[in-house]
Amino acid sequence: MGKKWATYTDIFEHAFDEKGRITVPSEWRQEGYDSRLFVFPSKFNHLKVYPESWMEELHQKIEGLKLQDPNRLQLELLAQLSQAVCWDQQGRISIKERLRKHAQIEKEAVLVGRLDHFEIWDQKKWRESGVKITSFEEAIESMGL
């Protein structure tokens, strides 16, 4: 039997506090979910947040590559882009200002489940993104299934 994955689903609206902390939804902090997360900037001006188990898979891929392998070097670059975070007793993670600025998040944010990870968007940018599917059937049909 393969690895059991925690699945990030749903959409939540939360706000960053004055210290750059945002609450991770309680659904994503239950048993089976990794408490250590990695935050990455996305080229689409939001943040991607992956669980530690995802990062462990990258480590396994790197182990089999030679030190100067271009694929290894690309994977290693992720380390300087990311920030490791763990939630506190109130379920908040603290995200560095450089990452919040990259995503242009002032205060109000939307956390969007993406199955194996979640994204953090500025609330206004999320509304303007136009990425909306409103039903199961619409999603399945858009994939040609």
Side-chain angles (χ1 to χ4, degrees):
M1 185 174 184
K3 167 136 174 70
K4 183 178 178 184
W5 292 95
T7 303
Y8 298 92
T9 61
D10 212 345
I11 297 173
F12 301 88
E13 294 189 9
H14 290 282
F16 278 91
D17 67 13
E18 65 282 348
K19 295 181 179 178
R21 298 175 299 195
I22 191 165
T23 301
V24 174
S26 61
E27 289 91 332
W28 298 346
R29 291 183 277 122
Q30 296 177 15
E31 186 176 335
Y33 286 83
D34 295 352
S35 61
R36 189 163 189 231
L37 306 167
F38 291 86
V39 183
F40 297 91
S42 168
K43 69 178 182 178
F44 301 109
N45 290 355
H46 63 272
L47 302 174
K48 291 189 170 283
V49 184
Y50 283 89
E52 183 172 35
S53 55
W54 182 85
M55 190 65 92
E56 288 170 359
E57 287 206 355
L58 284 183
H59 278 270
Q60 290 173 0
K61 289 179 183 177
I62 288 174
E63 285 176 5
L65 300 174
K66 295 183 179 182
L67 290 176
Q68 295 305 313
D69 185 303
N71 291 324
R72 179 186 180 113
L73 298 173
Q74 281 299 115
L75 289 171
E76 289 175 347
L77 288 176
L78 288 176
Q80 66 189 9
L81 291 175
S82 70
Q83 175 193 354
V85 297
C86 291
W87 55 74
D88 62 17
Q89 291 181 336
Q90 287 78 40
R92 301 170 299 190
I93 56 174
S94 180
I95 297 180
K96 292 182 178 183
E97 184 178 2
R98 71 173 169 83
L99 290 168
R100 295 191 321 269
K101 278 187 174 181
H102 169 84
Q104 301 170 0
I105 301 172
E106 295 293 324
K107 183 173 175 85
E108 301 299 322
V110 179
L111 290 81
V112 181
R114 295 289 191 198
L115 298 178
D116 67 339
H117 70 286
F118 64 93
E119 297 172 345
I120 304 175
W121 288 72
D122 172 76
Q123 188 179 66
K124 184 178 178 188
K125 289 197 176 310
W126 170 252
R127 289 188 177 135
E128 294 170 351
S129 71
V131 181
K132 307 290 183 286
I133 298 226
T134 59
S135 71
F136 173 80
E137 292 81 5
E138 186 180 348
I140 295 298
E141 288 170 10
S142 71
M143 292 186 292
L145 300 176

